[in-house]
Amino acid sequence: MTQIRIKRVYEDPDTTDGYRVLVDRLWPRGMKKEYLKYDVWEKDITPSPELRKWFHEDQEEHWEGFAAMYRKELEDSVDARQFIEHIKSYNIVTLLYASKEPVHNHARILQQFLQAHLG
């Protein structure tokens, strides 16, 4: 079974990261493309621009609603289903995100979604 991990893009890569997937819609601030070690950039499985903007207006207040709406976007997403099929062949997939917030971020929601659909 595929193990899904999450990691900030600013952390050093490790040989145990497996298949490294950037899961931010925008390129991480201050990160030069030649320095970020990743295998694929999956913009299409990130929150929609509208949802991301709404969430950033008040992250603490909007967290629960954001999580529910993002899960709905993922459930309805052809790209998410294709991504699940694509990563099934990997033992470890590490989702890379830029947010400073380790708990309340979309990568954690995506991780839970993928684990539920792979398990």
Side-chain angles (χ1 to χ4, degrees):
M1 186 171 109
T2 304
Q3 183 181 46
I4 307 295
R5 299 177 181 173
I6 63 172
K7 188 175 196 176
R8 286 195 76 212
V9 296
Y10 307 105
E11 294 177 46
D12 290 334
D14 192 282
T15 57
T16 62
D17 287 343
Y19 189 65
R20 293 171 51 91
V21 182
L22 178 59
V23 292
D24 279 342
R25 188 167 292 270
L26 304 175
W27 189 260
R29 278 188 196 163
M31 178 64 67
K32 292 186 177 186
K33 289 190 179 184
E34 60 267 21
Y35 294 134
L36 182 57
K37 303 294 184 230
Y38 66 102
D39 296 298
V40 67
W41 185 5
E42 289 288 343
K43 297 178 201 177
D44 295 331
I45 60 171
T46 64
S48 65
E50 300 81 14
L51 182 56
R52 191 177 59 78
K53 182 179 177 187
W54 175 77
F55 175 57
H56 286 285
E57 288 172 1
D58 188 343
Q59 293 182 22
E60 190 172 316
E61 185 67 30
H62 291 170
W63 172 248
E64 292 298 325
F66 170 79
M69 287 185 272
Y70 181 39
R71 280 188 206 97
K72 175 78 169 105
E73 286 184 354
L74 289 168
E75 289 292 345
D76 296 341
S77 171
V78 171
D79 294 312
R81 286 192 294 278
Q82 289 173 344
F83 181 69
I84 290 167
E85 287 304 312
H86 175 71
I87 64 172
K88 282 182 177 180
S89 64
Y90 294 95
N91 291 328
I92 300 171
V93 174
T94 299
L95 306 176
L96 305 170
Y97 68 95
S99 175
K100 293 177 185 174
E101 173 55 57
V103 176
H104 297 109
N105 70 65
H106 74 283
R108 188 153 314 271
I109 297 166
L110 180 57
Q111 177 189 34
Q112 293 165 354
F113 172 83
L114 294 171
Q115 288 171 331
H117 286 79
L118 287 165

